[in-house]
Amino acid sequence: MRMIGHEARTGTIRYWTGLNDDRIRKLYTTYFKFGDAPVRRRRGRSPTRVGPLVRTPLRALESGVFANLLLANGLFSVEQPPGPVLKGNVDLGHRFCECYETYDVLVPRGALSLEWGWNLLISIRRGDELGITRCQTCSICYVFDLLSLPRSACPACLLFEHKAPLMLTPLTG
Ligand SMILES: [Zn+2]
Protein backbone atom coordinates (compact mmCIF):
# COMPACT_ATOMS: atom_id res chain seq x y z
CA MET A 1 0.00 0.00 0.00
CA ARG A 2 2.80 2.36 0.93
CA MET A 3 4.64 1.64 -2.32
CA ILE A 4 1.52 2.03 -4.43
CA GLY A 5 1.08 5.43 -2.79
CA HIS A 6 4.55 6.35 -4.05
CA GLU A 7 3.65 5.20 -7.59
CA ALA A 8 5.99 2.20 -7.51
CA ARG A 9 5.76 -0.14 -10.46
CA THR A 10 4.17 -3.55 -10.10
CA GLY A 11 7.50 -5.36 -10.59
CA THR A 12 9.10 -3.35 -7.78
CA ILE A 13 6.25 -4.10 -5.37
CA ARG A 14 6.33 -7.78 -6.36
CA TYR A 15 10.09 -7.90 -5.66
CA TRP A 16 9.81 -6.46 -2.15
CA THR A 17 6.57 -8.16 -1.06
CA GLY A 18 6.24 -11.38 -3.06
CA LEU A 19 2.62 -10.46 -3.87
CA ASN A 20 1.50 -11.49 -7.34
CA ASP A 21 0.52 -8.96 -10.01
CA ASP A 22 -3.18 -9.70 -9.68
CA ARG A 23 -3.13 -9.03 -5.93
CA ILE A 24 -1.23 -5.76 -6.44
CA ARG A 25 -3.71 -4.63 -9.11
CA LYS A 26 -6.63 -5.42 -6.80
CA LEU A 27 -5.08 -3.43 -3.95
CA TYR A 28 -4.67 -0.48 -6.29
CA THR A 29 -8.22 -0.73 -7.65
CA THR A 30 -9.73 -1.13 -4.20
CA TYR A 31 -7.85 1.55 -2.31
CA PHE A 32 -6.37 4.02 -4.76
CA LYS A 33 -8.06 4.18 -8.12
CA PHE A 34 -11.16 6.06 -7.00
CA GLY A 35 -9.80 7.74 -3.88
CA ASP A 36 -9.75 11.44 -3.03
CA ALA A 37 -6.13 11.77 -4.10
CA PRO A 38 -5.78 9.62 -7.23
CA VAL A 39 -2.52 7.73 -7.58
CA ARG A 40 -1.07 7.14 -11.02
CA ARG A 41 -0.10 3.68 -12.17
CA ARG A 42 3.19 3.59 -14.00
CA ARG A 43 3.43 0.98 -16.73
CA GLY A 44 6.41 -0.97 -17.95
CA ARG A 45 9.76 -1.64 -16.40
CA SER A 46 11.67 0.32 -13.78
CA PRO A 47 14.40 2.72 -14.98
CA THR A 48 17.78 1.00 -15.24
CA ARG A 49 20.12 3.63 -16.69
CA VAL A 50 22.47 5.21 -14.17
CA GLY A 51 23.69 8.18 -16.22
CA PRO A 52 20.81 10.50 -15.27
CA LEU A 53 21.52 9.86 -11.57
CA VAL A 54 24.92 11.56 -11.74
CA ARG A 55 24.77 13.61 -14.95
CA THR A 56 25.11 16.99 -13.26
CA PRO A 57 26.61 17.93 -9.87
CA LEU A 58 23.13 18.76 -8.58
CA ARG A 59 21.84 15.33 -9.62
CA ALA A 60 24.85 13.62 -8.06
CA LEU A 61 24.26 15.57 -4.87
CA GLU A 62 20.58 14.57 -4.73
CA SER A 63 21.47 10.95 -5.46
CA GLY A 64 24.08 11.23 -2.71
CA VAL A 65 21.47 12.38 -0.18
CA PHE A 66 19.37 9.34 -1.00
CA ALA A 67 22.40 7.01 -0.94
CA ASN A 68 23.37 8.31 2.52
CA LEU A 69 19.86 7.53 3.79
CA LEU A 70 19.99 4.05 2.26
CA LEU A 71 23.38 3.39 3.85
CA ALA A 72 22.26 4.68 7.26
CA ASN A 73 19.22 2.39 7.06
CA GLY A 74 21.31 -0.66 6.21
CA LEU A 75 19.86 -1.21 2.75
CA PHE A 76 23.33 -1.73 1.36
CA SER A 77 26.65 -2.35 3.02
CA VAL A 78 30.10 -1.02 2.19
CA GLU A 79 31.86 -3.52 4.49
CA GLN A 80 29.87 -6.56 3.39
CA PRO A 81 28.51 -5.78 -0.07
CA PRO A 82 25.92 -5.85 -1.30
CA GLY A 83 24.12 -5.95 2.09
CA PRO A 84 20.98 -7.73 3.32
CA VAL A 85 18.65 -9.75 1.12
CA LEU A 86 15.90 -7.43 -0.09
CA LYS A 87 13.69 -9.79 -2.07
CA GLY A 88 10.51 -10.51 -0.14
CA ASN A 89 11.75 -8.42 2.79
CA VAL A 90 8.72 -6.32 3.76
CA ASP A 91 10.45 -4.77 6.80
CA LEU A 92 13.28 -3.43 4.66
CA GLY A 93 10.70 -2.41 2.06
CA HIS A 94 9.20 -0.13 4.70
CA ARG A 95 12.65 1.23 5.48
CA PHE A 96 13.19 1.89 1.78
CA CYS A 97 9.91 3.85 1.75
CA GLU A 98 11.06 5.77 4.83
CA CYS A 99 14.29 6.67 3.04
CA TYR A 100 12.27 7.97 0.12
CA GLU A 101 9.90 9.95 2.35
CA THR A 102 12.86 11.47 4.21
CA TYR A 103 14.57 12.34 0.92
CA ASP A 104 11.37 14.02 -0.18
CA VAL A 105 11.48 16.24 2.92
CA LEU A 106 15.21 16.98 2.66
CA VAL A 107 15.26 17.74 -1.07
CA PRO A 108 12.39 20.04 -2.10
CA ARG A 109 11.34 19.34 -5.68
CA GLY A 110 13.94 16.57 -5.85
CA ALA A 111 14.35 14.71 -9.11
CA LEU A 112 14.17 11.16 -7.76
CA SER A 113 10.92 9.24 -7.90
CA LEU A 114 10.67 6.08 -5.79
CA GLU A 115 11.52 4.12 -8.95
CA TRP A 116 14.66 6.15 -9.62
CA GLY A 117 15.59 5.65 -5.97
CA TRP A 118 15.14 1.91 -6.44
CA ASN A 119 17.33 2.06 -9.53
CA LEU A 120 19.96 3.90 -7.48
CA LEU A 121 19.85 1.30 -4.69
CA ILE A 122 20.21 -1.73 -6.97
CA SER A 123 22.93 0.01 -9.01
CA ILE A 124 24.97 0.70 -5.87
CA ARG A 125 24.41 -2.87 -4.68
CA ARG A 126 25.47 -4.27 -8.05
CA GLY A 127 28.65 -2.21 -7.79
CA ASP A 128 29.59 -2.23 -11.47
CA GLU A 129 28.48 1.25 -12.59
CA LEU A 130 27.93 3.44 -9.54
CA GLY A 131 30.28 3.87 -6.65
CA ILE A 132 30.00 5.78 -3.39
CA THR A 133 32.86 7.76 -1.89
CA ARG A 134 33.58 10.45 0.69
CA CYS A 135 34.98 13.87 -0.24
CA GLN A 136 38.30 14.60 1.47
CA THR A 137 37.50 18.31 1.55
CA CYS A 138 33.88 18.62 2.73
CA SER A 139 33.30 15.06 4.04
CA ILE A 140 30.03 14.41 2.27
CA CYS A 141 29.33 10.99 0.77
CA TYR A 142 28.53 11.14 -2.91
CA VAL A 143 27.71 8.86 -5.78
CA PHE A 144 29.89 8.72 -8.86
CA ASP A 145 30.06 6.93 -12.19
CA LEU A 146 32.67 4.15 -11.87
CA LEU A 147 33.19 4.03 -15.62
CA SER A 148 33.97 7.70 -16.20
CA LEU A 149 37.59 8.81 -16.08
CA PRO A 150 38.86 10.94 -14.54
CA ARG A 151 36.54 10.41 -11.58
CA SER A 152 34.06 13.25 -11.25
CA ALA A 153 34.83 15.79 -8.54
CA CYS A 154 32.74 16.17 -5.38
CA PRO A 155 29.38 17.68 -6.48
CA ALA A 156 29.00 19.72 -3.28
CA CYS A 157 32.41 21.35 -3.67
CA LEU A 158 31.66 22.04 -7.35
CA LEU A 159 28.34 23.66 -6.52
CA PHE A 160 29.81 25.77 -3.76
CA GLU A 161 32.42 27.03 -6.16
CA HIS A 162 29.59 27.97 -8.55
CA LYS A 163 31.27 26.03 -11.27
CA ALA A 164 28.24 23.94 -12.02
CA PRO A 165 25.04 24.88 -13.80
CA LEU A 166 21.96 24.42 -11.61
CA MET A 167 19.77 22.22 -13.74
CA LEU A 168 16.32 21.50 -12.38
CA THR A 169 14.81 19.45 -15.16
CA PRO A 170 12.79 16.46 -13.91
CA LEU A 171 13.81 12.86 -14.54
CA THR A 172 11.38 10.94 -16.69
CA GLY A 173 10.36 7.32 -16.43
ZN1 LIG B 1 33.30 18.04 -1.29
mmCIF file of all heavy atoms in Angstrom, residues 74-78 80-86 92 125:
data_model
loop_
_atom_site.group_PDB
_atom_site.id
_atom_site.type_symbol
_atom_site.label_atom_id
_atom_site.label_comp_id
_atom_site.label_asym_id
_atom_site.label_seq_id
_atom_site.Cartn_x
_atom_site.Cartn_y
_atom_site.Cartn_z
ATOM 1 N N GLY A 74 20.837 0.712 6.407
ATOM 2 C CA GLY A 74 21.306 -0.662 6.207
ATOM 3 C C GLY A 74 20.771 -1.346 4.971
ATOM 4 O O GLY A 74 20.714 -2.575 4.912
ATOM 5 N N LEU A 75 20.397 -0.579 3.964
ATOM 6 C CA LEU A 75 19.860 -1.206 2.748
ATOM 7 C C LEU A 75 20.973 -1.658 1.792
ATOM 8 O O LEU A 75 20.733 -2.416 0.883
ATOM 9 C CB LEU A 75 18.879 -0.264 2.049
ATOM 10 C CG LEU A 75 17.560 -0.156 2.849
ATOM 11 C CD1 LEU A 75 16.807 1.110 2.496
ATOM 12 C CD2 LEU A 75 16.682 -1.362 2.615
ATOM 13 N N PHE A 76 22.158 -1.131 1.990
ATOM 14 C CA PHE A 76 23.326 -1.730 1.357
ATOM 15 C C PHE A 76 24.471 -1.596 2.334
ATOM 16 O O PHE A 76 24.388 -0.848 3.306
ATOM 17 C CB PHE A 76 23.644 -1.095 -0.013
ATOM 18 C CG PHE A 76 24.167 0.319 0.044
ATOM 19 C CD1 PHE A 76 25.536 0.576 0.139
ATOM 20 C CD2 PHE A 76 23.290 1.395 -0.022
ATOM 21 C CE1 PHE A 76 26.012 1.881 0.176
ATOM 22 C CE2 PHE A 76 23.760 2.697 0.016
ATOM 23 C CZ PHE A 76 25.129 2.938 0.111
ATOM 24 N N SER A 77 25.526 -2.370 2.097
ATOM 25 C CA SER A 77 26.651 -2.352 3.018
ATOM 26 C C SER A 77 27.948 -2.124 2.255
ATOM 27 O O SER A 77 28.150 -2.689 1.189
ATOM 28 C CB SER A 77 26.717 -3.691 3.771
ATOM 29 O OG SER A 77 27.955 -3.794 4.449
ATOM 30 N N VAL A 78 28.795 -1.258 2.793
ATOM 31 C CA VAL A 78 30.097 -1.021 2.190
ATOM 32 C C VAL A 78 31.075 -2.105 2.661
ATOM 33 O O VAL A 78 31.891 -2.608 1.889
ATOM 34 C CB VAL A 78 30.620 0.383 2.568
ATOM 35 C CG1 VAL A 78 32.036 0.600 2.036
ATOM 36 C CG2 VAL A 78 29.693 1.466 2.027
ATOM 37 N N GLN A 80 30.255 -5.243 3.875
ATOM 38 C CA GLN A 80 29.873 -6.565 3.392
ATOM 39 C C GLN A 80 28.890 -6.438 2.232
ATOM 40 O O GLN A 80 27.694 -6.687 2.388
ATOM 41 C CB GLN A 80 29.232 -7.378 4.529
ATOM 42 C CG GLN A 80 30.203 -7.729 5.641
ATOM 43 C CD GLN A 80 29.490 -8.413 6.787
ATOM 44 O OE1 GLN A 80 28.575 -7.866 7.396
ATOM 45 N NE2 GLN A 80 29.889 -9.640 7.077
ATOM 46 N N PRO A 81 29.402 -5.994 1.070
ATOM 47 C CA PRO A 81 28.506 -5.781 -0.068
ATOM 48 C C PRO A 81 27.887 -7.089 -0.561
ATOM 49 O O PRO A 81 28.515 -8.127 -0.423
ATOM 50 C CB PRO A 81 29.448 -5.191 -1.128
ATOM 51 C CG PRO A 81 30.820 -5.551 -0.711
ATOM 52 C CD PRO A 81 30.795 -5.740 0.779
ATOM 53 N N PRO A 82 26.666 -7.087 -1.098
ATOM 54 C CA PRO A 82 25.918 -5.850 -1.298
ATOM 55 C C PRO A 82 25.082 -5.429 -0.081
ATOM 56 O O PRO A 82 24.531 -4.345 -0.096
ATOM 57 C CB PRO A 82 24.977 -6.234 -2.455
ATOM 58 C CG PRO A 82 24.711 -7.698 -2.274
ATOM 59 C CD PRO A 82 25.975 -8.267 -1.696
ATOM 60 N N GLY A 83 24.993 -6.257 0.958
ATOM 61 C CA GLY A 83 24.116 -5.948 2.089
ATOM 62 C C GLY A 83 23.031 -6.998 2.228
ATOM 63 O O GLY A 83 23.128 -8.073 1.649
ATOM 64 N N PRO A 84 21.996 -6.712 3.017
ATOM 65 C CA PRO A 84 20.983 -7.727 3.323
ATOM 66 C C PRO A 84 20.146 -8.107 2.099
ATOM 67 O O PRO A 84 20.057 -7.354 1.145
ATOM 68 C CB PRO A 84 20.107 -7.051 4.377
ATOM 69 C CG PRO A 84 20.272 -5.593 4.139
ATOM 70 C CD PRO A 84 21.676 -5.414 3.648
ATOM 71 N N VAL A 85 19.564 -9.297 2.174
ATOM 72 C CA VAL A 85 18.646 -9.746 1.121
ATOM 73 C C VAL A 85 17.411 -8.859 1.146
ATOM 74 O O VAL A 85 16.812 -8.632 2.206
ATOM 75 C CB VAL A 85 18.240 -11.218 1.358
ATOM 76 C CG1 VAL A 85 17.174 -11.657 0.351
ATOM 77 C CG2 VAL A 85 19.458 -12.122 1.267
ATOM 78 N N LEU A 86 17.057 -8.340 -0.015
ATOM 79 C CA LEU A 86 15.901 -7.432 -0.093
ATOM 80 C C LEU A 86 14.645 -8.131 -0.602
ATOM 81 O O LEU A 86 13.534 -7.755 -0.249
ATOM 82 C CB LEU A 86 16.219 -6.246 -1.017
ATOM 83 C CG LEU A 86 17.454 -5.409 -0.682
ATOM 84 C CD1 LEU A 86 17.606 -4.276 -1.683
ATOM 85 C CD2 LEU A 86 17.377 -4.855 0.747
ATOM 86 N N LEU A 92 12.332 -4.328 5.342
ATOM 87 C CA LEU A 92 13.276 -3.434 4.661
ATOM 88 C C LEU A 92 12.573 -2.623 3.575
ATOM 89 O O LEU A 92 12.991 -1.507 3.266
ATOM 90 C CB LEU A 92 14.453 -4.231 4.079
ATOM 91 C CG LEU A 92 15.450 -4.776 5.111
ATOM 92 C CD1 LEU A 92 16.622 -5.457 4.411
ATOM 93 C CD2 LEU A 92 15.972 -3.682 6.041
ATOM 94 N N ARG A 125 24.209 -1.501 -5.156
ATOM 95 C CA ARG A 125 24.414 -2.873 -4.678
ATOM 96 C C ARG A 125 25.131 -3.728 -5.709
ATOM 97 O O ARG A 125 25.941 -4.586 -5.363
ATOM 98 C CB ARG A 125 23.072 -3.507 -4.283
ATOM 99 C CG ARG A 125 22.513 -2.957 -2.962
ATOM 100 C CD ARG A 125 21.134 -3.529 -2.689
ATOM 101 N NE ARG A 125 21.132 -4.975 -2.569
ATOM 102 C CZ ARG A 125 21.071 -5.634 -1.412
ATOM 103 N NH1 ARG A 125 21.004 -4.983 -0.268
ATOM 104 N NH2 ARG A 125 21.065 -6.957 -1.392
#
